[in-house]
Amino acid sequence: MATLDEITALLGEPRFHWSDPAPWARLEQELGVSLPADFREFTDAYGPVEINEQLYLDHPGHPVRALGEKIAGWIEHWSDEDDAEFLPAPAGSGPGELLPVATATTGEFLFLRVPAEPSAPWSVGVLETDTLEYVPYELTFGDWLLAYLRGEDVTMHAHNFAPDGPFYRPLT
């Protein structure tokens, strides 16, 4: 599994440094699931962030870019009868469902697949809204993010937006 140190080596030092677990506890209680540690660790380090002017990640403790509110809206959107057909599983936080956690300026949605079994690993999926193709990756969030930052083909193409290397901008 990719470590925050490997991600930081490519992306640069984080500036958010969130340490209060209360917003995560509230969000996880609302969702009924504990989110993956690598997702929480990255989000706590970098906070609401735009990566390569493309990928947007929010944080549950941020007053404006609140991850819980975003997830609730995205689940509602992807549960709509007209949009649900583009996903291979329902949007939500139940076992086997797809939890929407991020978006991209290029139209993609990033999902975490909730494990069907408690001991199974989380994985990532990306819905390309231009083609309406859902691409699953048997990668943890950290491994997927590391591949993205390296410019590997993980549906979102970082090298198109960061030809000189990955970078980020904190969002307020």
Side-chain angles (χ1 to χ4, degrees):
M1 180 174 7
T3 66
L4 186 58
D5 289 340
E6 291 174 290
I7 291 168
T8 299
L10 289 172
L11 196 54
E13 288 298 319
R15 298 182 212 156
F16 194 65
H17 305 292
W18 188 270
S19 62
D20 180 5
W24 285 110
R26 283 191 299 275
L27 176 58
E28 290 176 340
Q29 183 177 13
E30 289 171 15
L31 294 173
V33 66
S34 294
L35 294 166
D38 59 346
F39 178 74
R40 287 180 55 159
E41 183 180 31
F42 175 82
T43 308
D44 278 346
Y46 286 88
V49 65
E50 177 188 55
I51 301 172
N52 298 339
E53 295 182 348
Q54 180 183 30
L55 179 62
Y56 291 94
L57 291 158
D58 296 305
H59 190 278
H62 196 271
V64 176
R65 300 202 56 96
L67 181 61
E69 292 174 16
K70 299 281 185 162
I71 288 174
W74 293 329
I75 288 174
E76 183 178 330
H77 171 81
W78 291 110
S79 296
D80 179 79
E81 188 177 304
D82 292 333
D83 294 316
E85 69 180 280
F86 303 115
L87 298 176
S93 58
E97 293 183 333
L98 302 174
L99 185 65
V101 295
T103 60
T105 58
T106 47
E108 295 89 357
F109 273 82
L110 181 69
F111 293 86
L112 298 177
R113 182 180 282 275
V114 181
E117 306 283 327
S119 61
W122 287 74
S123 61
V124 173
V126 178
L127 179 72
E128 170 63 63
T129 53
D130 290 344
T131 62
L132 298 174
E133 179 184 5
Y134 180 86
V135 182
Y137 295 94
E138 294 302 319
L139 299 170
T140 64
F141 170 78
D143 288 338
W144 180 90
L145 183 60
L146 190 59
Y148 167 77
L149 294 173
R150 289 177 175 158
E152 296 172 17
D153 186 5
V154 287
T155 305
M156 290 185 220
H157 302 288
H159 56 275
N160 297 344
F161 290 87
D164 297 328
F167 61 97
Y168 77 97
R169 177 177 68 90
L171 298 172
T172 55

